[in-house]
Amino acid sequence: MRLILAVIVLTAAASIASAEDYATRMLEATFKIYHKDSTATGFFVNPPAAAAIPEKHVLLVTAAHVFERMKGEQAIIVLRKPHPDGTFTRRDFEVKVREGEKPLWFKHPEQDIAVLAVKLPEDANVQPIEFESLADEAALKAARVHIGSDMLMLGFPMRVEANSAGFPIARRVSIASHPLFPIQPHKTFMADFTTFAGDSGGPLFLPDPSQKDRGEEARPLVVGIVLSQHFSDEKLTMVYEERMIHHPLNLSTVIHAQFVREAIEKYKK
C-alpha cells in the first residue's frame, strides 16, 4: 500500500514538473521590448530549416504597431543575466529596428505582426522556441482548443516587470469568443483577461499535447499573440465640460499564431 501511494505521489510530482516546464520554456523566450514611445512584449523563435536568415540570428516576434510607433533606429530588449547562485540581473541590449527611415522588421502583408532578425550576444540567456511551437489550425484542433479553454499569457502590463531582473508577468486567461475555426475568416479571437499597454505581442500558450503523446519533454504551443484591449466608452456632457471615460471590459483581442507562422514563412523568402 505504501509503495502504491509513493508511486502515485511521484507520478503527480512528475506531472506538475512537466506542466511547469512548458511555461518556463516560454518564459525563457519572452522579453520586454523597451522604447520611450512604445513598450511591449516579444518572444524569440528559431528560424525554420533553410530560412534565408543571417547566420547566428534568431527571430523576434511582436505586434507590428510596436515597432511602427517607435521613432529613431534603436530599441532595447531587456535581457536577463543569470548568476551561479540562481539569481538574475537585468541586461539592456540595444537592437536596431531601422536603417534611417527604412524599417528592418518584416511585417505580415495583412496582419499586425512583425518579425525582426536579431543577433544576440554570445552569452545571452535566451532560449528561443521552435517554429513548430507556433500553432496552426490543425495543431489547435488536435489540442482541442475551444471557447473557455484555459491557458497562460506572458507580458509587461503598463511596463511593469515581475522583478528587477526584467522577467515577464504570467496571467491565466481563457478563450472568450466563438468560433475559432476556420482561422482564415476568424483571424482574431477574444480572450478573457485585462490587457494593458505593454502587453502587445505577448504570447498566449498551453502545453503542446503532441509532445506528451510522444513521451517527450513538454514544450509550449503558442495559440496567438496579444494585439489590443477592449473598452466601453462613456461620454459625459456637462455645462462647461465634456469628458470621455474608457471603461476596460477585461477583454483582449488576440491574433492566431498561424499568422505568425505565415509572417516567418514569407520573411524567409
Side-chain angles (χ1 to χ4, degrees):
M1 185 67 177
R2 290 181 179 176
L3 179 59
I4 294 174
L5 182 60
V7 170
I8 292 173
V9 171
L10 288 173
T11 302
S15 175
I16 292 170
S18 177
E20 290 177 347
D21 184 70
Y22 80 94
T24 302
R25 293 180 72 176
M26 193 72 233
L27 183 85
E28 292 172 340
T30 305
F31 296 85
K32 184 178 185 178
I33 305 170
Y34 176 76
H35 189 278
K36 64 182 181 64
D37 299 319
S38 177
T39 296
T41 307
F43 59 95
F44 287 101
V45 179
N46 276 323
I53 307 298
E55 188 179 357
K56 295 184 179 181
H57 283 60
V58 290
L59 301 176
L60 176 64
V61 173
T62 190
H65 68 260
V66 172
F67 290 142
E68 290 168 349
R69 293 173 183 174
M70 294 179 176
K71 297 177 182 178
E73 297 186 344
Q74 304 288 338
I76 292 172
I77 302 173
V78 180
L79 302 180
R80 293 150 337 229
K81 182 178 180 180
H83 301 286
D85 63 356
T87 61
F88 291 81
T89 53
R90 177 189 174 114
R91 179 183 180 185
D92 289 357
F93 174 68
E94 279 198 352
V95 60
K96 203 166 188 178
V97 297
R98 284 187 182 84
E99 188 73 58
E101 296 296 322
K102 179 184 176 183
L104 297 180
W105 68 87
F106 174 79
K107 182 179 179 181
H108 188 289
E110 300 171 352
Q111 308 303 328
D112 187 8
I113 295 172
V115 181
L116 177 70
V118 177
K119 186 176 182 181
L120 293 167
E122 293 288 340
D123 59 345
N125 185 45
V126 177
Q127 300 297 326
I129 62 170
E130 299 305 316
F131 178 76
E132 292 74 20
S133 290
L134 299 168
D136 56 12
E137 186 166 325
L140 289 183
K141 288 180 176 178
R144 299 182 179 181
V145 177
H146 51 76
I147 187 169
S149 289
D150 292 324
M151 57 195 69
L152 291 174
M153 178 267 174
L154 293 174
F156 297 92
M158 296 302 294
R159 306 191 178 202
V160 175
E161 302 166 9
N163 47 45
S164 60
F167 278 96
I169 296 170
R171 281 171 280 168
R172 292 198 176 275
V173 307
S174 62
I175 293 180
S177 62
H178 179 83
L180 290 175
F181 313 117
I183 282 179
Q184 282 301 330
H186 303 103
K187 297 176 175 61
T188 63
F189 59 89
M190 289 187 183
D192 178 18
F193 78 108
T194 303
T195 313
F196 299 92
D199 285 329
S200 292
L204 271 68
F205 61 99
L206 41 76
D208 188 342
S210 68
Q211 298 300 104
K212 184 178 179 181
D213 294 341
R214 299 171 191 170
E216 299 176 11
E217 188 178 13
R219 74 178 182 188
L221 181 68
V222 178
V223 173
I225 67 171
V226 175
L227 292 186
S228 62
Q229 54 187 316
H230 287 265
F231 298 98
S232 174
D233 293 336
E234 180 182 13
K235 185 177 181 180
L236 299 181
T237 302
M238 295 168 277
V239 176
Y240 297 108
E241 182 181 357
E242 287 189 353
R243 183 181 302 173
M244 183 70 72
I245 300 176
H246 304 293
H247 299 282
L249 294 180
N250 298 341
L251 291 171
S252 168
T253 296
V254 180
I255 189 164
H256 279 284
Q258 177 165 305
F259 296 105
V260 178
R261 293 176 68 101
E262 286 184 9
I264 291 174
E265 289 286 357
K266 293 176 185 296
Y267 179 91
K268 75 177 188 178
K269 294 177 182 179

